[in-house]
Amino acid sequence: AQKVTQAQTEISVVEKEDVTLDCVYETRDTTYYLFWYKQPPSGELVFLIRRNSFDEQNEISGRYSWNFQKSTSSFNFTITASQVVDSAVYFCALSGMNSGYSTLTFGKGTMLLVSP
Amino acid sequence: EAGVVQSPRYKIIEKKQPVAFWCNPISGHNTLYWYRQNLGQGPELLIRYENEEAVDDSQLPKDRFSAERLKGVDSTLKIQPAELGDSAVYLCASSARDRGSYEQYFGPGTRLTVT
């Protein structure tokens, strides 16, 4: 069975602060993919990143960065210099090899509120 | 490139009434998913199509839910009759799994309210 835990239900920051969203996962698959999605108030889930379990290199994309640590089963997401437009619910998700990478298991999401 | 299209965006019905949701995936994506998202939760898979074949419908409540994907393109999800507990956002997603692309792209969803 797969499980994704996002322990932070809601985070509030002031614009320009850095913020880290935590994601811890459980899986018996030896190979898997991890994802982050953003869900703004409009409701559409927006794909942000996919990470293969063999690739533990950290990734940076503009103000976004991701820290994948297999030893602690974590895939954390950091937003640098947050902006009001970053306000959304962020979901971490997992897809394992045994399902042919067909099934996404989502966490419950972290609501990020960025105030001016 | 157009994204996943869903309609309607909102639907309010009385319990025991039927309701249908429509989805048009990204052009060329062979895999189509229907998810249900309850308030404060992540999406949960209802059914997955590979082309026109439903290959995973284990989480679909088959007594009242049905789905089809004729010609392997757009899809319809139906509930008949609706119950109060069906109030949720119904999300459609697509991916190009046949090309080894595992990220799923989601539509805006249909927010269903059953009164």
Side-chain angles (χ1 to χ4, degrees):
Chain A
Q2 299 178 147
K3 185 178 180 181
V4 175
T5 302
Q6 296 179 255
Q8 304 150 308
T9 304
E10 184 174 321
I11 301 175
S12 293
V13 298
V14 177
E15 211 169 15
K16 298 184 183 177
E17 284 185 18
D18 299 346
V19 58
T20 295
L21 309 180
D22 297 333
C23 172
V24 174
Y25 62 90
E26 297 174 29
T27 181
R28 294 181 181 175
D29 288 326
T30 55
T31 305
Y32 48 89
Y33 285 100
L34 294 163
F35 302 81
W36 276 95
Y37 283 85
K38 174 182 180 181
Q39 189 172 41
S42 61
E44 186 169 339
L45 278 153
V46 178
F47 166 73
L48 296 178
I49 188 171
R50 179 188 75 178
R51 170 65 75 211
N52 186 299
S53 56
F54 287 120
D55 183 1
E56 289 195 67
Q57 273 195 325
N58 291 334
E59 182 158 342
I60 297 175
S61 176
R63 297 184 297 109
Y64 295 170
S65 62
W66 291 269
N67 184 343
F68 175 34
Q69 292 196 341
K70 210 167 181 178
S71 61
T72 57
S73 297
S74 65
F75 186 42
N76 296 338
F77 173 29
T78 297
I79 302 175
T80 303
S82 60
Q83 299 176 1
V84 173
V85 293
D86 295 327
S87 296
V89 180
Y90 290 85
F91 290 95
C92 181
L94 168 72
S95 181
M97 179 184 67
N98 286 342
S99 71
Y101 310 113
S102 63
T103 303
L104 274 177
T105 299
F106 284 88
K108 291 187 175 182
T110 297
M111 178 178 287
L112 174 65
L113 299 172
V114 183
S115 55
Chain B
E1 182 183 79
V4 176
V5 179
Q6 290 187 249
S7 66
R9 288 296 312 276
Y10 305 92
K11 191 73 177 180
I12 301 174
I13 61 171
E14 294 182 347
K15 62 182 181 182
K16 299 185 182 179
Q17 294 300 307
V19 65
F21 315 123
W22 177 80
C23 172
N24 188 259
I26 292 174
S27 177
H29 281 194
N30 70 308
T31 307
L32 184 145
Y33 312 78
W34 283 104
Y35 288 85
R36 178 167 59 189
Q37 185 178 20
N38 292 313
L39 191 64
Q41 304 291 318
E44 294 178 331
L45 181 70
L46 291 173
I47 189 169
R48 173 171 64 95
Y49 281 92
E50 298 285 350
N51 300 304
E52 65 275 8
E53 184 182 358
V55 295
D56 183 358
D57 62 356
S58 57
Q59 301 303 312
L60 189 74
K62 297 180 184 63
D63 57 335
R64 297 183 300 106
F65 285 64
S66 65
E68 61 182 13
R69 190 185 184 196
L70 300 176
K71 300 180 181 179
V73 182
D74 54 355
S75 176
T76 302
L77 177 69
K78 298 178 182 177
I79 308 175
Q80 181 170 13
E83 296 178 353
L84 294 177
D86 295 331
S87 295
V89 176
Y90 291 82
L91 293 162
C92 180
S94 69
S95 68
R97 287 189 72 245
D98 56 345
R99 286 177 267 156
S101 178
Y102 301 115
E103 52 270 24
Q104 298 178 24
Y105 294 89
F106 286 79
T110 296
R111 184 177 296 277
L112 174 66
T113 302
V114 182
T115 63

